[in-house]
Amino acid sequence: MSITQLILIILAVVAIVWGIYTLLKSIRQKNQDVLATDAIEHDKDGLPIIPRHQRPEPQESQLFKAEITSDNPKGEVKLSADDTELHLDNYPASGGFANANVTKSANDKLLAETNTFVENENDAFSMLANATETISPVVHTFDENQLKNDSFTDNSPILDTHIQAQIDEEQNSPLNNAIQNINISIFPNQQFVDIKGDYLLELIDKYGLKFGAMNMFHRYENKDGTGLLWFSLMMIDNEGISPFDLNRLPTQTMKGLVLFLSLPHPRPVQGFDSMMSIAGLLANDLNATVYDDTGEPINKENTQAMRELAINFGR
């Protein structure tokens, strides 16, 4: 065995012995703390009960002493059933009960201030009333000329909708207030040939008809859709006279068309002439014929009769 190995063995033994000693010492100290804790009694709240002889003595400054007199040479504080008040007149003002020593001058000062406030109470309310009377609301005025010159530049969706509803009501007044209609119809000249919806849409756009109220196409006074309603257009399918469905119309076919003028009309001559003119144009483009409400092809006689009916209706 070499010297180095011997030294290492000795160091290992010393380390083991030192560890055992430290462990035993800590266990012993812990047991002593537990015994010391168990030796102290505790009350019901868990507070330690310290024996009287182990309690710290109070400091001299913490004791209250009465005035030393011939009757009380030790300065003891004595309380009885007849006198339970603690008199500390001679206790220093800097002590813990300095606030209890209120001087007579302070009381007199407080009483004087209170009396002054009571005497001036009426004056205070009078001042408040006078101040209130002098307050007047601020009224903002506007220059009438400026208001006249100002104009609204921002759009109002609600106002626009209301105005548009009034315009639609005025435009479509003949249709909304109709009592009687003058009807004409258009049918293709060739039997078993229907009118195609996509082609009809081209003609409708060409002659200025607009899709609108009651799912019908209408011709207004102006081609852009403004002005008074002249006449309306519906289709004839297998179920009879029907309104249009814009979603189906491009792929739809129909047997014929119906144009009608609603009466009474504020301008019946213009409405009737416009209807007859566009009916002739549509019939020419569709290779069709225009018929009156009795099924007779349009001629001068029945055209004049319908025109006179429109003029004289409601007179």
Side-chain angles (χ1 to χ4, degrees):
M1 179 181 297
S2 63
I3 297 175
T4 303
Q5 292 177 344
L6 181 60
I7 293 173
L8 292 175
I9 292 173
I10 294 173
L11 292 176
V13 172
V14 171
I16 293 172
V17 172
W18 177 256
I20 294 173
Y21 171 76
T22 304
L23 179 61
L24 293 176
K25 184 178 180 180
S26 62
I27 293 174
R28 182 181 179 185
Q29 183 65 32
K30 183 177 181 180
N31 292 334
Q32 290 179 354
D33 294 340
V34 172
L35 293 175
T37 303
D38 295 340
I40 300 176
E41 296 183 1
H42 296 76
D43 60 7
K44 62 180 181 179
D45 296 327
L47 299 177
I49 301 175
I50 302 175
R52 185 180 298 274
H53 65 278
Q54 295 181 359
R55 297 176 185 176
E57 293 294 335
Q59 298 179 3
E60 186 69 19
S61 60
Q62 296 178 349
L63 299 177
F64 295 106
K65 291 185 178 181
E67 183 180 1
I68 298 176
T69 61
S70 58
D71 297 334
N72 188 13
K74 296 183 179 180
E76 296 177 351
V77 178
K78 297 180 180 180
L79 298 177
S80 63
D82 297 331
D83 186 8
T84 59
E85 295 184 359
L86 181 62
H87 301 282
L88 300 175
D89 294 339
N90 297 327
Y91 194 74
S94 60
F97 292 87
N99 293 333
N101 187 14
V102 180
T103 62
K104 184 175 183 300
S105 60
N107 291 335
D108 295 340
K109 183 178 180 181
L110 179 61
L111 181 60
E113 292 177 354
T114 303
N115 294 333
T116 303
F117 174 78
V118 174
E119 292 175 357
N120 296 333
E121 181 179 5
N122 294 331
D123 295 337
F125 281 107
S126 299
M127 293 174 62
L128 179 61
N130 294 333
T132 305
E133 292 177 356
T134 59
I135 297 176
S136 59
V138 178
V139 179
H140 297 281
T141 59
F142 297 91
D143 187 0
E144 294 183 0
N145 296 327
Q146 182 65 27
L147 290 176
K148 293 179 180 179
N149 294 330
D150 290 341
S151 59
F152 294 99
T153 57
D154 296 334
N155 293 330
S156 173
I158 298 177
L159 181 60
D160 292 344
T161 302
H162 180 69
I163 294 175
Q164 186 61 42
Q166 289 183 334
I167 294 175
D168 293 342
E169 179 67 22
E170 294 175 358
Q171 278 188 314
N172 300 322
S173 59
L175 180 64
N176 296 330
N177 302 314
I179 299 176
Q180 183 177 337
N181 296 322
I182 296 179
N183 304 320
I184 58 176
S185 56
I186 300 175
F187 290 98
N189 293 327
Q190 296 182 3
Q191 193 176 9
F192 306 114
V193 175
D194 294 336
I195 300 174
K196 295 182 179 180
D198 54 350
Y199 183 51
L200 178 62
L201 283 173
E202 295 179 7
L203 298 178
I204 286 174
D205 182 67
K206 178 180 178 181
Y207 298 123
L209 280 78
K210 304 296 180 182
F211 185 79
M214 302 182 186
N215 294 331
M216 296 183 290
F217 287 98
H218 308 280
R219 182 60 168 89
Y220 292 93
E221 182 177 357
N222 302 314
K223 192 175 181 180
D224 60 357
T226 60
L228 187 64
L229 172 68
W230 283 155
F231 64 91
S232 303
L233 172 69
M234 299 180 71
M235 71 175 182
I236 301 175
D237 55 13
N238 294 329
E239 298 178 358
I241 300 175
S242 304
F244 292 95
D245 184 351
L246 288 182
N247 295 324
R248 298 173 51 195
L249 185 56
T251 59
Q252 197 174 13
T253 59
M254 58 209 71
K255 302 296 183 181
L257 301 173
V258 173
L259 294 80
F260 63 93
L261 172 69
S262 299
L263 298 176
H265 197 286
R267 298 166 65 182
V269 175
Q270 291 85 345
F272 179 80
D273 291 344
S274 175
M275 180 179 68
M276 297 303 297
S277 175
I278 292 181
L281 295 173
L282 288 173
N284 183 63
D285 292 332
L286 294 171
N287 189 21
T289 301
V290 182
Y291 300 88
D292 64 6
D293 56 355
T294 64
E296 293 292 329
I298 290 296
N299 52 48
K300 291 183 179 181
E301 288 76 12
N302 54 21
T303 300
Q304 184 61 31
M306 289 186 292
R307 195 169 191 271
E308 291 179 358
L309 174 62
I311 295 173
N312 298 324
F313 186 86
R315 286 187 177 181

